[in-house]
Amino acid sequence: MNFIDFPALHDSFGILTQSYIPWLMIVPGLLIGLAGGALPGISGTMILALMLPVTPYMDFFTAIVFLTSVFTGAGYGGAVPAILVNMPGSTAAVATTFDGFPMARSGKHNEALGLGLAASTIGTLISYLVLFVLINFVAKAVLKLGPVEMAVVAIWGISMIAMLRGGNVERGILAGVFGLLIGTIGISPIGRMRGTFGLPELIDGVAVVPAMIGILATAELFNLARSKYIIDNDAARIVSFPLILKGFRDVFGYWRTLSRGSLIGIFVGAIPGVGASVANLVSYAAARRSDPDPNSYGKGNPNGLVASEAANSSSEGGAMGTLLALGLPGGGGTAVLLAAFAMHNVTGGPRFIADHKDTVYAILISNMVQSLLLIVVGLLFIRMAVVIIKIQVRHLVPTVIVIAMAGSYAITGNLTGPITLAIFSVIGWVFARYDYAPAAAVVGLLLGRFVESQFVFSHQLSGGKLSFILERPIALIMIAIFLISLVYPWINARMRCRKTNEE
Amino acid sequence: MNLRNIMLATITSVLTFGSTVAVSQDAYPDHTIEMTGPYSAGGGTDRLARFTASALSDELGVPINVVNRPGGGLFTGTLYFFNQAPDGYNIMFTPPTPYMVNHIENMGAPYKIDDFIYVNAQEVAQSLLMVSETSELQTLEDIIAGLREPGKLSAGVIAGSGEHISLLLMMKTLGIPAENLRLVTFDGGGPTRTALAGAQIDFGMVAGQGSEVIFDQVRKIAVFADEINPDWPEAVPVNEALAQFDVEIPILDSSVRSMVVRREFKEQYPERYETFVAAYRRAVESPEFQQAAEDGKFGAVWNGPEVSQEIVERNFNLLLEHSAILE
Amino acid sequence: MKENFFTKLDRWGALLTALAIAAISIAYLTQSYLASSKLYNIIFLVPMVLIAVFLTVIIIGRSLKMVLKSSSADVTNNNPTPTSDGKNLVIAGLMGGFLVYAFSIRYVGFDVASAFYIAFSLWIQGERRIIVIVLMSVITAFAVTWLLIHGARVPAIATFL
């Protein structure tokens, strides 16, 4: 099989140069995505769904360029509030808060925003480049993944909980287990109501985004009330475009984390039903595990920020690959894209790739252009957003809290969101106060339902026999990689220890 | 295509997200109608709902705003709709069966199946049994032979769906214990289709309508319908294949995608109701809509309220009768 | 520092949190089991709840020792005690006000509730210029509510919009 179909590539330039209109849609699309992504509670999926009614007025290619631009913009938008006020704009930016916010509080807000943007755009670019070469293989690769392999991905995800434990091991893990349990409330795998205690609001489970914002962000905002500004040091509280640019350039110093994060993002994003909210966690975990100094994570290690942003952005490319190659959505955002495809009577899938390779290439190329344009648009966007640090905390806190409340209201469409937000803010504050690793609780909450389903599916498929896994070579390889990544830091430390002894 | 139109459309949509055009008129309808979609945006039913809303909006002369209220296996949105005023400005597009059975039986729904009028069952999806194209299973007889060996075959369905019930019912009718099959109960059509296309399971059953994307990677074995579906001539009607075993199973439709209004709407505003039904019928039967439906492979049948009511009730009663098999 | 109800509560905080988690977990499992005792309804919950109970026992064992031994709180300095000085009263106020805010939306609307919460937080955090409090709370609350209703098209409860 050929990697690149050159005649089709040639034809794709015809599509790309046919009209200037699609190109005009990129910048508005990116801005809408950035703004939507940056507003807590407004997810990329939601903003895409809101934009969907506009697209019938456009031709197919213009519509797809516009929607993917929104998608690309939203991929980075979530990082801005994550870094500046510890409030992830979407579930994909949870791991961005872990090191992004500590960086901001220590006065590295300009660099952190620039670095995040760089990781995000380069991650997107890498993912589309990989897709460009491997699109013919994506369908086959994705179809090789069954429930057992997904269960292994789930284990990768939960391993985060043990890492986020903070100072106190058993309390951190208890917080994670609490999150996993809360995450499974609602309709059980066999269609029964579970843990709703008669409340109709809980039928669909705890509203994840308001709960996440509550645990991670509002508790932190309350505590900020002790300070006059987000950044205590007056001298560090500056808005500097050169420093944003410096942060952007710094990304090349973290190329190892960047490329690992991008690859993880592509892989996790390509799995139908998983997507960016798992990818950023898996990537953060991998970065921390392979770092010689894992304890610096969570305290403002730029590697953590790069790992998260590279993965959540590149998972967009992975999801797009599955959408094009299989016609199946990898997550909420691509489900809306699929609807847009359908409105123009286009279905993805192997036949689409075979018959319309030129269109596929044109879509991939336009996405690469988008990620380059995101650099410019994003830099201007952060330059505007960063002034938040100049605002006094007493004015900032109520404003951000009211916006978070509105976002929670928007995401559930009723009062469940605001009330969930308030209750989980108190839970988050209590957890932080007594060292119960709030971040571990959020990871559990995000993964609970996914982990449970994949284990149930695996159990059903194997008929309950553990030996079934021996028939799954890919799952075995994935487990091996996981185990190696677990023991590697330990071996590494021993080796270094021996070396120093010898010297 | 005109750039100005796009810019205008974009700007209007971004700024106002479609504001209400309120013109004072006596006649119904005089302002925006809200159409509830109790599922998330982007799925098959959502797509059908949006196409229908746009055609219906042209006929009625007011905007129709599709609002997705997903969650709880379509319960959240259906419950919301049930609590809206039955004045003709709130309509819903949904598959009442199989979902409402679970709402009513297990979830304590405050509504009953005949609290609604099923104005038109616009698309009746049929269950299709498929195997991967690499599979050795060729016919329904092969599958039944495999099912008789404990633990040999694996299959996938959506948990609690019509297919789930039909499959268990078929096994029960043939005297095959349910434990013989390693049955994965997925949480949606997407994962089921992916697993089927990737041969993760030996066979799978999902709605045939909407499975077009995987048709290249699968073979269609049997359709759970009384007659051959002309779109999938190779799939044999299940009872035809079961005839050699001297058994027959009741036919459950996969889902009945339908326009729904509250019964009070017809009772309280009979003229509005007539206006609505007539406009909806004109919209569906218009040549443009029929053409778009043919191109886009979505349902555009006009069954009308009486026939639709029968379809929904037949499926509802069958589901109710046989849902105990899931236990 | 003199011990009062709050410092005492705070000293027992870690232990009470663990107990609360264990209680919620067990209640959840019981309710699920009553809903259906089928394997796939509880296969994931049972091990999770067992781990939660096990960890709770360990945590209680450890912190009980510390709580009884000394009067100093067994906490890291992540969050302050809500009573030790005025700043921390601010945090307690913000949090309590937040709960009131969330539950009052139903009765007074998102716009009014938001305006009151902003005004209250500004005041409790030391803002005393009436003009700033009034303008900021009214403008922010109504702008956000307007965007919520007309931008995101959420059928939000509001008094004035």
Side-chain angles (χ1 to χ4, degrees), chain A residues 141-147 149-150 267 271 472 474 478, chain B residues 200:
Chain A
V142 169
L143 290 175
K144 290 264 183 269
L145 302 171
E149 288 74 20
M150 300 229 205
F267 174 72
I271 304 174
R472 310 290 310 185
I474 298 173
M478 287 165 69
Chain B
Q200 300 293 335

Side-chain angles (χ1 to χ4, degrees), chain B residues 279-299:
Chain B
Y280 178 28
R281 178 169 193 170
R282 283 198 305 277
V284 169
E285 290 182 339
S286 74
E288 302 84 46
F289 193 76
Q290 290 294 325
Q291 185 60 47
E294 201 176 316
D295 295 342
K297 297 245 177 302
F298 60 80

Side-chain angles (χ1 to χ4, degrees), chain B residues 16-17 65 69 326, chain C residues 38 150-151 153 155:
Chain B
T16 67
F17 291 107
N65 199 356
R69 296 179 185 279
L326 295 174
Chain C
K38 274 177 72 179
H150 297 282
R153 285 203 225 152

Side-chain angles (χ1 to χ4, degrees), chain A residues 228-263:
Chain A
K228 202 160 186 308
Y229 291 95
I230 290 181
I231 300 159
D232 292 324
N233 183 347
D234 289 335
R237 201 165 49 243
I238 48 167
V239 169
S240 156
F241 200 65
L243 280 178
I244 296 176
L245 287 176
K246 178 182 169 297
F248 192 92
R249 282 193 306 270
D250 283 350
V251 78
F252 299 106
Y254 308 102
W255 64 272
R256 208 188 272 266
T257 312
L258 179 68
S259 38
R260 183 178 42 230
S262 303
L263 291 179

Side-chain angles (χ1 to χ4, degrees), chain A residues 161 172-182 440 444, chain C residues 25 48-49 51-52 55:
Chain A
I161 287 173
I173 296 177
L174 183 60
V177 171
F178 176 73
L180 283 169
L181 281 169
I182 294 291
Chain C
S25 309
M48 287 297 132
V49 172
I51 295 173
L55 289 169

Side-chain angles (χ1 to χ4, degrees), chain B:
Chain B
M1 189 181 39
N2 184 329
L3 176 65
R4 214 175 122 244
N5 280 352
I6 297 175
M7 295 308 261
L8 272 178
T10 315
I11 291 165
T12 343
S13 184
V14 169
L15 292 181
T16 67
F17 291 107
S19 61
T20 309
V21 188
V23 187
S24 66
Q25 280 172 350
D26 297 330
Y28 166 84
D30 64 0
H31 63 265
T32 309
I33 294 175
E34 185 180 301
M35 184 194 254
T36 304
Y39 30 73
S40 49
T45 313
D46 184 57
R47 184 184 147 215
L48 184 58
R50 285 174 191 277
F51 268 112
T52 310
S54 128
L56 182 54
S57 160
D58 293 343
E59 285 293 337
L60 286 170
V62 293
I64 296 182
N65 199 356
V66 180
V67 182
N68 297 97
R69 296 179 185 279
L74 277 65
F75 186 47
T76 312
T78 311
L79 189 61
Y80 167 84
F81 173 71
F82 181 64
N83 287 316
Q84 300 310 300
D87 55 4
Y89 291 100
N90 293 289
I91 56 178
M92 174 165 70
F93 198 89
T94 190
T97 58
Y99 299 96
M100 279 197 197
V101 181
N102 200 23
H103 304 170
I104 293 168
E105 287 302 296
N106 298 321
M107 300 168 99
Y111 46 80
K112 296 185 294 296
I113 194 81
D114 48 10
D115 282 337
F116 302 103
I117 291 180
Y118 308 94
V119 182
N120 181 31
Q122 197 177 320
E123 182 175 89
V124 181
Q126 295 169 332
S127 307
L128 195 55
L129 192 154
M130 293 173 274
V131 298
S132 157
E133 59 172 353
T134 58
S135 170
E136 287 168 8
L137 302 163
Q138 301 291 338
T139 61
L140 194 61
E141 291 81 65
D142 292 347
I143 290 173
I144 290 171
L147 284 174
R148 294 194 193 277
E149 292 176 47
K152 182 171 181 210
L153 293 185
S154 61
V157 292
I158 304 172
S161 63
E163 288 86 2
H164 193 177
I165 294 178
S166 292
L167 177 58
L168 294 178
L169 206 56
M170 184 178 85
M171 290 174 70
K172 190 180 167 200
T173 316
L174 288 163
I176 303 171
E179 303 81 64
N180 276 15
L181 176 65
R182 292 179 279 127
L183 182 60
V184 185
T185 53
F186 288 104
D187 46 6
T192 317
R193 293 186 178 108
T194 316
L196 186 54
Q200 300 293 335
I201 44 180
D202 291 313
F203 68 93
M205 276 176 67
V206 274
Q209 287 84 352
S211 294
E212 289 82 7
V213 285
I214 58 164
F215 278 176
D216 282 348
Q217 293 136 292
V218 296
R219 277 199 307 273
K220 308 174 209 57
I221 301 291
V223 62
F224 285 59
D226 290 319
E227 287 155 29
I228 283 186
N229 183 321
D231 288 337
W232 326 309
E234 63 272 48
V236 58
V238 61
N239 280 330
E240 229 167 82
L242 290 178
Q244 55 175 304
F245 302 100
D246 284 328
V247 292
E248 198 176 315
I249 57 167
I251 298 297
L252 263 174
D253 293 315
S254 177
S255 69
V256 180
R257 291 167 176 170
S258 173
M259 178 73 77
V260 178
V261 298
R262 282 179 61 190
R263 187 163 291 278
E264 271 109 328
F265 173 41
K266 186 181 178 184
E267 286 159 2
Q268 292 174 13
Y269 300 95
E271 297 88 18
R272 288 186 183 186
Y273 175 77
E274 290 311 322
T275 313
F276 176 77
V277 175
Y280 178 28
R281 178 169 193 170
R282 283 198 305 277
V284 169
E285 290 182 339
S286 74
E288 302 84 46
F289 193 76
Q290 290 294 325
Q291 185 60 47
E294 201 176 316
D295 295 342
K297 297 245 177 302
F298 60 80
V301 182
W302 181 262
N303 279 313
E306 286 77 26
V307 177
S308 303
Q309 193 80 20
E310 278 170 30
I311 298 176
V312 171
E313 272 174 15
R314 178 175 61 84
N315 276 288
F316 186 81
N317 292 332
L318 278 174
L319 285 163
L320 214 53
E321 187 184 338
H322 296 291
S323 59
I325 203 168
L326 295 174
E327 293 302 313

